Amino acid sequence: MKIVVGHLYPEYLNIYADRGNIAVLAKRALWRGHELEVRAISAADSIEPGAQDLLYIGGGQDREQALVAHDLARKAEQVLAAASAGVAVLAVCGGYQLLGRFYRFRDGTELPGVGLFPLHTIAGERRMIGDVLLDCDWAGRTLAGFENHAGRTYLEPGAEPLGRVVAGFGNDGQSGFEGCRVGRAVGTYLHGPLLPRNPWLADWLLAQAIAHRTGGEPPQLEPLDDELERDAQAVSARRARERGGRSN
Ligand code: GLN
């Protein structure tokens, strides 16, 4: 089947090769006989109900976020409608922050958010940089990646984190949690890109997108030989552990 991905602001939000996440989704879909069609969604575009099965938004510097935030906020109802209709979402770093309620810079300027994730972000003085390792109890899996952000993200009470920080800073360097999950929507600070070294999450997202397309349950995708991916995660996880707890 054809799986449609809406890539939000690819021309602005794409640091740390975040575009690589789309390449992984495309390949893993293809290896199961599915075709992934990627459509860019920029300022002039709207998010038509039912048109996409997965929405993707990457990371970016404060300057790029400021260039897209107000346009994205105007599309908030469309994003929220898509998510509540079962569209899967992957939001990375700067994109993750903009799908929260707001992102406040150190000078007090505030970028509006979409409000999909029950959280807000405030820029801190020191950037939080380095390899990260998470435990995702909900999936019985780990996630490994790389973070580089000034923003401290605060989850609201009852919000579900993506994972528990084993090594690294995570959302705010204090809470011990990273990312956020709301139904089929996942937000995270993890770059790298994220999916090449965490194929289970790519398959989880693909299964959610297929469920949206079929209106059925997320399918169990046929396993692939992920030896290279496992090695890549092992290297990333080792670097994160060598870095130790929630400080550089
Ligand atoms: N500009 C945001 C921050 O510094 C996000 C950075 C990113 O996407 N890597 O926190």
Side-chain angles (χ1 to χ4, degrees):
M1 77 180 68
K2 185 166 72 172
I3 302 165
V4 179
V5 172
H7 189 174
L8 290 159
Y9 312 102
E11 70 280 26
Y12 289 109
L13 299 181
N14 176 44
I15 53 176
Y16 289 112
D18 285 345
R19 196 186 297 274
N21 290 323
I22 300 243
V24 168
L25 291 169
K27 272 288 178 209
R28 298 185 73 84
L30 189 67
W31 289 331
R32 276 77 174 239
H34 303 303
E35 178 213 347
L36 202 85
E37 181 184 316
V38 182
R39 300 178 188 160
I41 301 174
S42 294
D45 309 313
S46 58
I47 300 169
E48 302 301 330
Q52 295 86 15
D53 305 302
L54 189 151
L55 290 174
Y56 175 74
I57 183 168
Q61 304 300 353
D62 291 359
R63 198 181 78 83
E64 277 72 31
Q65 290 173 284
L67 290 172
V68 304
H70 294 277
D71 182 78
L72 180 58
R74 280 191 290 276
K75 293 184 190 8
E77 289 316 310
Q78 298 166 18
V79 174
L80 297 174
S84 55
V87 171
V89 177
L90 176 61
V92 176
C93 206
Y96 163 50
Q97 295 167 336
L98 294 181
L99 293 192
R101 304 216 185 278
F102 63 82
Y103 174 29
R104 189 180 300 146
F105 292 157
R106 293 190 55 222
D107 66 6
T109 322
E110 215 167 85
L111 298 183
V114 162
L116 172 63
F117 296 123
L119 56 87
H120 66 271
T121 302
I122 298 176
E125 196 177 327
R126 205 173 140 206
R127 296 194 70 80
M128 301 198 272
I129 302 175
D131 289 281
V132 184
L133 181 61
L134 307 179
D135 260 342
C136 300
D137 302 337
W138 60 278
R141 303 273 193 157
T142 57
L143 280 176
F146 181 83
E147 63 183 333
N148 180 348
H149 53 109
R152 277 84 173 136
T153 292
Y154 303 99
L155 300 185
E156 290 169 13
E160 197 154 347
L162 174 62
R164 221 164 18 79
V165 175
V166 176
F169 287 106
N171 280 337
D172 59 3
Q174 298 297 323
S175 66
F177 293 115
E178 199 291 320
C180 186
R181 261 189 347 121
V182 174
R184 293 176 176 165
V186 166
T188 178
Y189 272 116
L190 271 56
H191 292 284
L194 171 70
L195 298 182
R197 54 185 98 174
N198 303 287
W200 72 265
L201 184 61
D203 286 354
W204 185 85
L205 288 161
L206 279 175
Q208 309 308 311
I210 291 170
H212 175 262
R213 176 62 45 179
T214 62
E217 286 306 306
Q220 195 59 43
L221 298 177
E222 160 216 340
L224 296 170
D225 168 10
D226 290 332
E227 195 181 336
L228 265 181
E229 291 84 350
R230 270 196 300 279
D231 293 348
Q233 191 190 89
V235 170
S236 192
R238 192 181 63 247
R239 277 204 308 246
R241 283 202 181 90
E242 279 158 10
R243 167 180 176 210
R246 287 189 288 279
S247 65
N248 258 2

